[in-house]
Amino acid sequence: MTHPGQETSAPPSMDNMGGATRHRTAEKEAVTDTGSIGCVRKTRATKSTPKVRFAPVMEDTANICIYFDIEGLDALFERLEVAKVQAQTITREERKKAQRKYARSMPRMAYDEMGDPYIVGEFESPDEEAYTMPGTVEFGGEQWIVRERGFGGEDDKPYFAYVLQHRGITIALRNHAPTEETCNGLVELGSIPLTEAGGLPHLWPQVVAMLQSEGIMIRKHVLSRVDQCCDVMNVPVIEFVKRYTKRKFVSRARRFGLAEGGGVYGNDMEPTGFWLGVGLQLRIYDKIRELVQKQDDVKHAALINCKWGQPEPVVTRIEFECKRKAIKSFLVAGSIRIDTVEEYIAHRASLWKYCMESFFRMTQGHVDRDNRHQDRASTWALWERITRHGVDSLKGEIKMVERKRRRTKTDLPALGRQAVGCVVKQAVYQGRNVDHLHE
């Protein structure tokens, strides 16, 4: 699948990554890229005076539940079933090996003695072995991998028999008609395609068009998760962690914790990130450390290529994960609810402002919590800059956002039937005759 590019230009080819060369002075004062390594071509500032930069705020993950009619899709599901059976002849280890081989053909990151990242090795054409092995199917003009088994089915959740994957995009389908509450399709958009496309507004229309080309006409969809993120360059994550541990923040989250030791959030010496919140969750962490630990060279190259504009030694990520429960609670301008992708796009700048000012806000000094004067604490200057940058990059009219639970309609007949059932069950436990009871 060809991912859409930015509004002003087509997405850069990965072949351009091979032209990047390093020119370093003896004093290590600057690094200049003579080739094209990204959507923005820049020269890094001197190491003595690193300049704080912000990457464009965009989505890092998006999950959408789709509802579509299955009439006329018999041929599509037959193709998927054949590919699924073929996929069962390939072991998962063989598939992963082919995918790793594909990833190794991408530009790789290395670090010099000063800790600076740079691209090494010559770029080779991507190896398509993973997409030509048995268990693949042509879908929307591209070869997609079909997983050997579906997922779901536990805890009364629907089972999706067919799962297709293509370079960061996952589509799960059911050969059943949807109900009012149960979808028959899921679309998961990962970090790499969203980064290369420039965010959800650019990628989602392409996915819809691809589904329509296969006869899948979406009649309804619901946004079930979306993550907004901003990368802050040349500000170490410890600056945020120190303020957090000293409780220089105001938050509406009910659950929070300091992430230290193990995982991508820290090491044995010092914590490198923290999180707080459930449903709507904030994560602040060292992005470079995460990429190095996971050895995710492909994602690292995509970030340099389409977000950062150049290799960066210090990147702190600020990320808000909004799950379905949190999305349902948002109320925009006193009356607007967010359910669809289009509704989210129209108000995503307002949501960013809410997350950075109302949900969590870092302060300049200590917060007077004893007297409940949290609102009087002034905001940290850097936090204000990040907030304004996000609003400017996301664009759109800013409206007031608050969180209110949706009221569910009371089904009185259902409550009556439930009451009768409880009475009958209790009578049976007591050994009484219930044959005379009628609805």
Side-chain angles (χ1 to χ4, degrees), residues 121-236:
E122 295 184 357
F123 175 71
E124 300 176 358
S125 300
D127 193 299
E128 298 289 341
E129 180 181 352
Y131 295 93
T132 56
M133 296 175 67
T136 62
V137 65
E138 184 176 342
F139 191 85
E142 297 281 354
Q143 288 297 123
W144 289 64
I145 295 174
V146 179
R147 282 174 42 175
E148 68 276 10
R149 61 177 64 90
F151 74 89
E154 67 280 353
D155 300 328
D156 296 329
K157 294 181 180 180
Y159 176 73
F160 294 88
Y162 307 105
V163 182
L164 297 81
Q165 296 175 319
H166 182 78
R167 298 173 186 171
I169 299 178
T170 300
I171 298 177
L173 302 173
R174 302 175 65 225
N175 192 9
H176 297 279
T179 65
E180 188 65 26
E181 300 296 332
T182 305
C183 65
N184 57 347
L186 291 175
V187 177
E188 298 181 358
L189 306 178
S191 174
I192 294 177
L194 283 167
T195 300
E196 293 177 341
L200 190 57
H202 303 281
L203 184 56
W204 174 242
Q206 296 290 328
V207 173
V208 172
M210 178 199 60
L211 292 171
Q212 291 176 348
S213 69
E214 292 293 338
I216 300 177
M217 303 300 175
I218 301 175
R219 59 179 177 85
K220 173 186 173 183
H221 73 273
V222 174
L223 182 64
S224 62
R225 173 183 169 180
V226 64
D227 296 3
Q228 290 184 329
C229 67
C230 177
D231 292 336
V232 182
M233 276 73 80
N234 297 321
V235 179

Side-chain angles (χ1 to χ4, degrees), residues 2-20:
T2 302
H3 301 305
Q6 308 289 344
E7 291 183 351
T8 57
S9 63
S13 170
M14 294 301 291
D15 294 334
N16 295 336
M17 303 287 284

Side-chain angles (χ1 to χ4, degrees), residues 279-293:
L280 175 57
Q281 184 177 97
L282 165 69
R283 293 187 290 268
I284 298 181
Y285 57 95
D286 186 338
K287 188 61 180 178
I288 297 296
R289 176 179 171 81
E290 182 204 46
L291 293 169
V292 172
Q293 281 190 337

